[in-house]
Amino acid sequence: MGVVRQLAADAVSSIERFVASCEQPALIEPGEDPFPLTAGTYSLDQTPRGLSLSCWTPDRTWTRRILRAGPGRDGRLLLTTERFGKREGTATLADLAQRKDVLRDGRRWKFREQFRRFLSRQFSGWRIAEISTGADLEHSLSPAYSRALLTRGTASYAAIGAPLDSQDPQGVLTFGLIWLDYLRRRAPDRYIEGLAIFVPNTAARVTCDRVRHLRGARFQVFAHAEEGDDYPLDLADYGNFSTKVEPRLSSVPVPAWLRPVLDVTGVAAIELAAGGASLRLRGLEFVRVAPGGEVTFGIDRMRPGSLMHAPEILSLARGLAELRSSDAGSQDPLYRRFPEAWLESMLRPAIDQIDANLFGSPVYGQVPAFAGGDRGLIDLLASDRDGRLAVIEVKASADIHLPLQALDYWMRVKWHLERDEFTQSGYFPGLPLRKDTPKLYLVATAMEFHPANETVLRYFASGIQVQRVGLSLEWRQRLRVVCRSGETASFQNPSFHSTRPAQPHVTGRSQRNPSSDLESESG
């Protein structure tokens, strides 16, 4: 038996045994949806040239010559195939019933090929030197996004893309900056002039707004849609925000029958911009007073309250005080709930620990408010003694996206400040606010800043004054600042100061980077 026929016979045997052992066998090739391998949907044909495998569904077909078959990772069978032009390719046989991650990998491979087509169209004349969706935990490179390196002569360009079904399409810019920085550090002698970001059209606005406040590279943003079209975006079309500053109404006093609740250790009454009040036990709201004086109470579901409910509400407050105590067991769900809100409750009365020049009152929360609910962050807005606004972002756990999420809020505050909307809406009464760009403070426990946060902060525009404030791990017992970083403007990256021109050929339009017991809160 010839070598070709022996290889073909071995491959047939491997494929048939693997398919017979699977509950839901399927073939996956990068760039294609899986082909189920059920009776009548595939065939193995031996010819003088070797083995041919064909698969089909009602709307598509796949045929390749199989060169070799052998064990792959995670119990899969790896096929080496011959593609058009006698180029070698790969395909994988897997059991979808046993390996759900196969479908995830298949989707990523499919988008990688789509991403390759995007790059070929938008960067005509550039060579795709490398393209990958692999994870690299050491360098914080996520497999959720496809990334690439483009070259043309001595110039290079970094690129990253998020698929339409991405769980976090807005996160692509964070990982894009990490990828760009990684490439620059990996090859310091190579000039990498910019970063191209491909995002679903639903995430285009957020990405463009963020990019307008970055420096250190030429940034290009492209959107893609369900139809597979991709097109460049003009950053000059962005920068206006749909958020608004709601007028701050007169505060509503807490009813006298609720006053005993305020004496429970850990309870704070927070004034709401809409005129009501919120009673919280270390950040967890359990009573709300509406502008008209109506009271509701509860934890997961609020219900109407009145004088007859005073003993029940007091008992609820005391029970929460015990469960959300620094001495309580950390396994209780109510202890673990809303750690950022708990940390915020510690910061409000001690805001001068963040910066001794900050006024302790008023301090507002969620002004302006974001549409769509919780962002996973606590946003505080304060002023220093010179009338300069300070945006304070609070995070109780490591978050690789913290810098850009904080930037989202900072740029909205800046935008409304430039239009005098805080003063006109009744915020910071009696205090003349300066038009200087707001300061930005990132507050978290010292051990919970993600290592990649500093990388992302290097790319912030030089006018954004950022300080990271690290707290001790025992912040629930006592708030104590243990470390601070410098401002972003003082960070240095040699790649930022290259004098070489940044003129990549990119199709499409040109891009231009262009009462007195209450504390205050907006929401």
Side-chain angles (χ1 to χ4, degrees), residues 211-220 235-236 511-514:
V211 163
R212 286 168 54 87
H213 292 86
L214 301 180
R215 65 167 181 166
R218 186 178 181 192
F219 295 96
Q220 304 282 343
L235 299 180
Q511 307 293 301
R512 297 191 294 276
N513 279 352

Side-chain angles (χ1 to χ4, degrees), residues 96-164:
L96 301 185
Q98 301 296 326
R99 304 293 311 184
K100 298 299 182 184
D101 56 335
V102 171
L103 291 176
R104 179 199 62 203
D105 290 348
R107 289 192 296 268
R108 289 173 179 170
W109 294 339
K110 182 178 180 180
F111 178 70
R112 185 186 67 187
E113 298 310 305
Q114 185 181 34
F115 181 51
R116 191 193 302 273
R117 293 192 293 271
F118 292 164
L119 294 173
S120 297
R121 283 196 293 264
Q122 300 296 341
F123 285 81
S124 176
W126 290 70
R127 183 176 72 90
I128 302 175
E130 59 182 276
I131 187 169
S132 174
T133 58
D136 185 340
L137 299 181
E138 180 183 356
H139 299 101
S140 298
L141 299 175
S142 171
Y145 310 100
S146 293
R147 54 189 184 272
L149 173 64
L150 306 170
T151 60
R152 189 178 66 177
T154 60
S156 298
Y157 219 83
I160 194 165
L164 282 174

